[in-house]
Amino acid sequence: MGKGDLSPLPDKGRGRYILVIYESLLKYAHTDSWNRQLLHQYCLRYRVGIITFHRANQNSPPLLNLRGLPLLLRTNQALRDASVMSRSPLLHLTRAGTDRGPLPGDDWTTFTSNHSSYQAVVQARPRGEAPVGSGDNPVPGFSRGLQDTVVLDVGLFDGVQRVVFGHGLGYWLHRLLLVDAITYLTDRKLSLGLERHILVDIDDIFVGKEGTRMNTKDVKALLDTQNQLRSQITNFTFNLGFSGKFYHTGSEEEDDGDDLLLGSVLEFWWFPHMFSHMQPHLFNNLTSLQEHMMLNKDFALDHGIPVDQGYAVAPHHSGVYPVHLQLYETWRKVWDIRVTSTEEYPHLKPARYRKGFIHNDIMVLPRQTCGLFTHTIYYEDYPGGPEELDNSIMGGELFLTVLLNPISVFMTHLSNYGNDRLGLYTFLHLADFISTWTHLQLDTLPPLQLAQKYFALFPQQRQPLWQNPCDDKRHRDIWSKEKTCDRLPKFLVIGPQKTGTTALSLFLLMHPSISSSFSSTKTYEEVQFFNTNNYHLGIDWYMELFPLPSNVSSDFLFEKSSAYFPSEDAPRRAAALLPKAKILTVLINPSDRAYSWYQCLE
Ligand SMILES: Nc1ncnc2c1ncn2[C@@H]1O[C@H](COP(=O)(O)OS(=O)(=O)O)[C@@H](OP(=O)(O)O)[C@H]1O
């Protein structure tokens, strides 16, 4: 960076950044003195801390003195037994303890300082015999034995607080400590809090093929595990999703398992699937969907399954997203459903972008992934090896999912509670790992309360953002064959009002390949979809206002809504549904427009 290259730090007298993260400690230390002074002044004035990492490479000198910081680095070390210091003020989520065994890689950096500003957050031991610089040939400045791998600079040296990591974020403990470092350095302004809510759904109750279902021993193990989990997850209760048609369709032992599940009906929570596990988007007729749903409700009533939980899940996310209006209607009518969950909104991947939304008064929660899939998985045959699952639980993806999401809804399947009972294994070990390493307070809330909590935490997610169902293969597969994505405009005339947009539309319509939306009294001639509450009626409603094009590639559908121009919502919504649409706007002398508007109001 040269003089003046640092992006402007203050903005209108306020600090623009709450925290500074340098991926590379050396880049930070070697910043030229002009920029470094600017950064320093900024950090002091706005009480902003710095997080930085040192990743050694083959060319790193074994010892490194940093310019301007009283910190000596010793690089490329192999370490073991990382211990988190219980007295470190950095700890918030993290619980002190020792991660026994070798640390990944042999390129660790450790730190030493002769200044009292630096405190160890994590220490580790050199791995193996006679580490470099020990024994007869000690490196000056380093004691043998425990080495500091993460240090906190409390600001006594130059007023700036820093957290310095001696390796990257590949090591799970660093990811956990990063969250704490952010909390600490921002004075808890950026903090995730300690509460985490976890709901574990077990789908396909009664659905599995003979030989893969739960027998009575499996059901007893389920009950025992549920009790065990309650010591770490308050009120933990498995949430069972059932399709009544398949009740008693297993082997004799599995049918006994079904009976034991129903004999313990009040020990669990229950939610309906479709009676025969059919995908709701295959039903276009409301009445037949309703009849089919009623079969599952009758089954529930016959077997004493509570029907008032207000939560349901659709097989393969069908109908939830992309929204199949018929499903929402029928769920409300038959079951009074208020909550569902899906992995599909806005897309399956990346998982961290999954969101919730509310449609037709049904709250749709995002569902997280826990590495157990719809089919039976045996521990030894886990994709990538059993260590994949263990790593995910012990500091990897599954652990991070719970760490970073205040609310996690996990979907698992019946067959992973029989066979190797990998579902039980996963959640027992996860709860154990979380309580060993964190101060997180885990609980399970009934779905309705969970959803209310979710949308109180993330109110901006209440409003959906519709996408084109045909732009994603997974979505296309659960989009009704009787529906199309062709009835969407290729261009929009967006106004502003009183600029001659009606005339422009009429001229455009003279072209034989151009058609517009139907004008309707419902919509006061203009569709006004992206800028009003019409948007909440969904894309089926929108598409029905367009003719079916006779030739998809050469026909041009459009709509003109002149109030799109000043709308704050319209650009974002239109870009999500019609990312390739062209936009036509008419700009005229503002005084002409104002006069025309004035005449209109007269
Ligand atoms: N060809 C052409 N060129 C320029 N201006 C034209 C044209 N045709 C119509 N007009 C004038 O446009 C005004 C109506 O604009 P809009 O159709 O955009 O109005 S609306 O917002 O849809 O209500 C309206 O303006 P005022 O007559 O001043 O009210 C129309 O007369």
Side-chain angles (χ1 to χ4, degrees):
M1 258 191 299
K3 189 171 169 176
D5 284 354
L6 197 67
S7 60
L9 298 171
D11 179 34
K12 296 183 189 126
R14 297 178 58 185
R16 193 189 276 255
Y17 306 101
I18 196 170
L19 180 70
V20 174
I21 300 182
Y22 265 90
E23 272 180 77
S24 155
L25 171 62
L26 292 190
K27 202 167 174 188
Y28 166 55
H30 294 160
T31 307
D32 70 280
S33 47
W34 168 272
N35 281 319
R36 186 157 164 161
Q37 207 183 337
L38 271 183
L39 182 63
H40 190 181
Q41 282 168 357
Y42 176 81
C43 289
L44 286 181
R45 171 142 188 227
Y46 297 101
R47 291 172 49 85
V48 168
I50 296 175
I51 296 176
T52 182
F53 304 84
H54 187 256
R55 287 299 308 263
N57 59 37
Q58 288 164 335
N59 303 325
S60 305
L63 279 181
L64 207 66
N65 255 309
L66 285 185
R67 188 168 62 88
L69 289 178
L71 206 52
L72 181 67
L73 277 60
R74 185 176 166 193
T75 64
N76 285 317
Q77 298 186 79
L79 301 172
R80 59 179 298 112
D81 299 342
S83 292
V84 179
M85 304 286 97
S86 59
R87 59 183 182 280
S88 174
L90 190 82
L91 306 190
H92 174 54
L93 293 175
T94 314
R95 200 185 272 281
T98 302
D99 183 22
R100 303 224 172 268
L103 302 193
D106 47 16
D107 52 351
W108 284 75
T109 299
T110 58
F111 307 96
T112 191
S113 176
N114 56 12
H115 200 285
S116 58
S117 190
Y118 286 85
Q119 304 178 355
V121 180
V122 179
Q123 294 188 322
R125 293 178 189 289
R127 208 189 307 160
E129 298 295 316
V132 182
S134 71
D136 296 337
N137 182 23
V139 172
F142 273 92
S143 62
R144 293 170 63 192
L146 288 174
Q147 308 279 316
D148 298 355
T149 63
V150 180
V151 287
L152 166 66
D153 174 351
V154 292
L156 299 177
F157 173 65
D158 60 3
V160 178
Q161 295 194 317
R162 301 171 183 86
V163 178
V164 188
F165 290 82
H167 209 268
L169 289 173
Y171 180 39
W172 73 268
L173 192 53
H174 282 191
R175 291 181 225 142
L176 175 59
L177 286 167
L178 175 67
V179 177
D180 275 354
I182 292 171
T183 305
Y184 178 85
L185 292 176
T186 61
D187 267 339
R188 303 211 170 180
K189 283 188 214 74
L190 289 183
S191 171
L192 285 171
L194 294 174
E195 274 186 18
R196 296 291 182 279
H197 311 285
I198 295 179
L199 180 69
V200 178
D201 290 352
I202 307 181
D203 208 7
D204 292 353
I205 295 293
F206 311 129
V207 179
K209 281 200 203 87
E210 185 174 328
T212 67
R213 300 161 59 121
M214 292 164 80
N215 56 35
T216 46
K217 282 189 192 148
D218 298 322
V219 177
K220 280 182 189 146
L222 185 71
L223 282 160
D224 287 348
T225 307
Q226 178 167 279
N227 279 332
Q228 222 176 312
L229 281 168
R230 282 180 179 164
S231 64
Q232 286 155 326
I233 308 175
T234 308
N235 200 28
F236 182 83
T237 306
F238 282 113
N239 196 27
L240 311 188
F242 62 97
S243 292
K245 183 175 177 191
F246 303 101
Y247 168 65
H248 271 186
T249 53
S251 65
E252 206 171 306
E253 286 181 334
E254 290 169 343
D255 288 354
D256 290 345
D258 287 359
D259 289 334
L260 187 56
L261 275 175
L262 290 176
S264 326
V265 72
L266 296 179
E267 300 289 330
F268 304 110
W269 294 336
W270 297 79
F271 65 90
H273 240 336
M274 296 293 283
F275 180 67
S276 63
H277 207 256
M278 281 261 279
Q279 299 184 340
H281 78 276
L282 301 173
F283 295 84
N284 280 291
N285 179 300
L286 275 174
T287 319
S288 52
L289 183 58
Q290 194 172 325
E291 279 166 8
H292 195 79
M293 229 180 242
M294 271 312 294
L295 294 174
N296 217 25
K297 187 164 182 185
D298 291 341
F299 172 83
L301 293 170
D302 285 350
H303 292 85
I305 297 175
V307 293
D308 57 356
Q309 193 177 218
Y311 178 71
V313 166
H316 307 127
H317 312 271
S318 152
V320 176
Y321 194 77
V323 164
H324 189 57
L325 298 171
Q326 293 88 328
L327 173 65
Y328 283 73
E329 282 286 309
T330 322
W331 259 349
R332 293 297 313 264
K333 221 177 201 162
V334 177
W335 286 97
D336 194 20
I337 294 304
R338 300 289 317 283
V339 188
T340 183
S341 62
T342 185
E343 293 169 2
E344 295 295 339
Y345 177 76
H347 295 290
L348 180 73
K349 282 190 171 162
R352 65 182 182 283
Y353 292 149
R354 287 179 204 156
K355 290 193 169 83
F357 66 95
I358 303 179
H359 177 62
N360 200 4
D361 241 353
I362 294 183
M363 295 178 275
V364 182
L365 292 173
R367 227 189 262 164
Q368 277 78 25
T369 308
C370 66
L372 299 177
F373 312 101
T374 42
H375 53 277
T376 312
I377 305 177
Y378 293 94
Y379 182 65
E380 289 304 329
D381 301 332
Y382 192 84
E387 60 282 356
E388 278 288 316
L389 178 62
D390 289 334
N391 288 341
S392 173
I393 296 167
M394 288 176 239
E397 197 178 325
L398 186 52
F399 169 73
L400 287 173
T401 299
V402 176
L403 179 72
L404 301 175
N405 290 295
I407 289 172
S408 296
V409 180
F410 293 112
M411 176 57 85
T412 57
H413 293 82
L414 163 98
S415 66
N416 286 318
Y417 290 83
N419 309 296
D420 262 4
R421 299 180 193 154
L422 224 47
L424 302 183
Y425 174 91
T426 300
F427 289 103
L428 274 176
H429 284 80
L430 179 66
D432 224 35
F433 190 84
I434 290 173
S435 50
T436 305
W437 279 103
T438 74
H439 293 287
L440 291 178
Q441 294 151 8
L442 306 177
D443 75 7
T444 298
L445 291 175
L448 192 53
Q449 267 172 267
L450 191 71
Q452 280 156 349
K453 188 135 219 162
Y454 185 87
F455 287 103
L457 280 170
F458 303 108
Q460 71 284 10
Q461 289 187 27
R462 290 169 165 269
Q463 305 232 354
L465 196 61
W466 310 126
Q467 284 107 337
N468 185 329
C470 300
D471 284 352
D472 180 312
K473 186 181 172 332
R474 286 176 64 95
H475 293 174
R476 213 169 36 234
D477 290 346
I478 48 174
W479 183 239
S480 166
K481 296 282 170 284
E482 292 189 22
K483 296 181 184 176
T484 169
C485 299
D486 297 336
R487 293 170 77 178
L488 285 171
K490 286 188 183 162
F491 66 91
L492 300 173
V493 178
I494 61 164
Q497 286 171 325
K498 302 291 155 202
T499 56
T501 51
T502 313
L504 174 64
S505 302
L506 291 173
F507 300 151
L508 286 164
L509 283 170
M510 288 174 182
H511 192 287
S513 300
I514 296 181
S515 321
S516 74
S517 52
F518 307 124
S519 61
S520 116
T521 43
K522 257 195 314 198
T523 62
Y524 304 100
E525 295 200 354
E526 290 191 346
V527 175
Q528 311 255 7
F529 179 66
F530 296 110
N531 60 324
T532 65
N533 277 341
N534 287 336
Y535 187 72
H536 298 293
L537 298 171
I539 61 170
D540 287 11
W541 179 89
Y542 186 51
M543 289 204 276
E544 271 164 27
L545 293 169
F546 290 90
L548 199 61
S550 48
N551 184 325
V552 175
S553 49
S554 62
D555 283 4
F556 286 81
L557 297 180
F558 81 100
E559 62 127 336
K560 169 237 166 200
S561 291
S562 49
Y564 286 165
F565 187 91
S567 158
E568 277 191 26
D569 290 326
R572 192 168 33 91
R573 290 171 171 177
L577 183 64
L578 311 169
K580 293 189 186 136
K582 301 278 188 280
I583 305 293
L584 290 192
T585 182
V586 187
L587 300 177
I588 62 168
N589 186 332
S591 59
D592 293 344
R593 201 190 82 84
Y595 185 66
S596 167
W597 184 239
Y598 167 75
Q599 279 184 315
C600 183
L601 292 177
E602 276 278 278

